[in-house]
Amino acid sequence: NAGVTQTPKFRILKIGQSMTLQCTQDMNHNYMYWYRQDPGMGLKLIYYSVGAGITDKGEVPNGYNVSRSTTEDFPLRLELAAPSQTSVYFCASRRGGTTDTQYFGPGTRLTVL
Amino acid sequence: EDQVTQSPEALRLQEGESSSLNCSYTVSGLRGLFWYRQDPGKGPEFLFTLYSAGEEKEKERLKATLTKKESFLHITAPKPEDSATYLCAVQAGGSGTYKYIFGTGTRLKVLA
């Protein structure tokens, strides 16, 4: 049981390039989340999904897109990368009861130059 | 507006010197409060969930408590391996989908 896995661990992009951050969970969780973490700013929600085919925006969705075609996978797409997207990105999942715990992946550190 | 504030931002302790971290919150309809530990370069690791005022949970040298306005993470006789950033998050809202609001964390350094 690997939990939540993310790839790549590190990536450097040039301004205007695009990329997809991968997230996979093997716990059969319904809910999945994408956060970004900037120094001293805490975790900010980008997008979340309550199940395959259903996604919704979080606090900071601009410049990002997501899809959820399977229960396991929740990729985050960056189009036209900008320096403001330099951050550490975390994917998380939870089963989906009334209140339950989120489990986080190890993160992807992205630098846009 | 839902808000979570953690204090202090940073804390340095000598090994064995007990202390507490604070997480104050303003949310509508608290469903749960979560504590996480985050080591440098890693994702947050779950520690505790608290659901209602008066609840307490313990794990080794850590004890989390909850009131109607704040939560404390008490660290008793800390060791250097307890050094990490401790994050607090709340789950609030009505039925259906739930979002989590995170504080900015407390960076704890325990010196040998």
Side-chain angles (χ1 to χ4, degrees), chain A residues 9-68:
Chain A
K9 290 187 178 180
F10 304 94
R11 183 74 186 266
I12 298 174
L13 284 181
K14 294 182 179 179
I15 294 172
Q17 287 185 322
S18 300
M19 76 164 294
T20 299
L21 281 65
Q22 302 291 345
C23 174
T24 300
Q25 52 93 7
D26 63 359
M27 298 174 282
N28 201 33
H29 284 175
N30 293 316
Y31 288 69
M32 295 187 75
Y33 300 78
W34 274 106
Y35 293 92
R36 60 178 287 171
Q37 187 177 40
D38 300 311
M41 296 298 291
L43 287 155
K44 298 295 184 184
L45 181 64
I46 304 171
Y47 271 95
Y48 67 101
S49 169
V50 303
I54 306 171
T55 63
D56 204 353
K57 296 177 180 179
E59 295 176 81
V60 289
N62 292 342
Y64 307 94
N65 277 300
V66 294
S67 59
R68 182 101 182 266

Side-chain angles (χ1 to χ4, degrees), chain A residues 33 37 50 94 99-100 102, chain B residues 36 38 46 91 97-98 100:
Chain A
Y33 300 78
Q37 187 177 40
V50 303
R94 68 178 181 99
T99 303
D100 62 352
Q102 290 183 311
Chain B
Y36 290 87
Q38 186 175 24
F46 171 71
Q91 184 186 25
T97 60
Y98 301 115
Y100 295 73

Side-chain angles (χ1 to χ4, degrees), chain B residues 5 7 9 22 28 30-31 39 48 50-51 58 69 71 82 87 105 108-109 112:
Chain B
T5 303
S7 62
E9 287 187 11
N22 177 263
S28 52
L30 177 73
R31 294 193 176 271
D39 292 302
F48 303 109
L50 302 167
Y51 296 102
E58 289 187 65
K69 294 183 178 181
S71 176
D82 294 321
L87 300 174
L108 174 65
K109 178 72 172 177

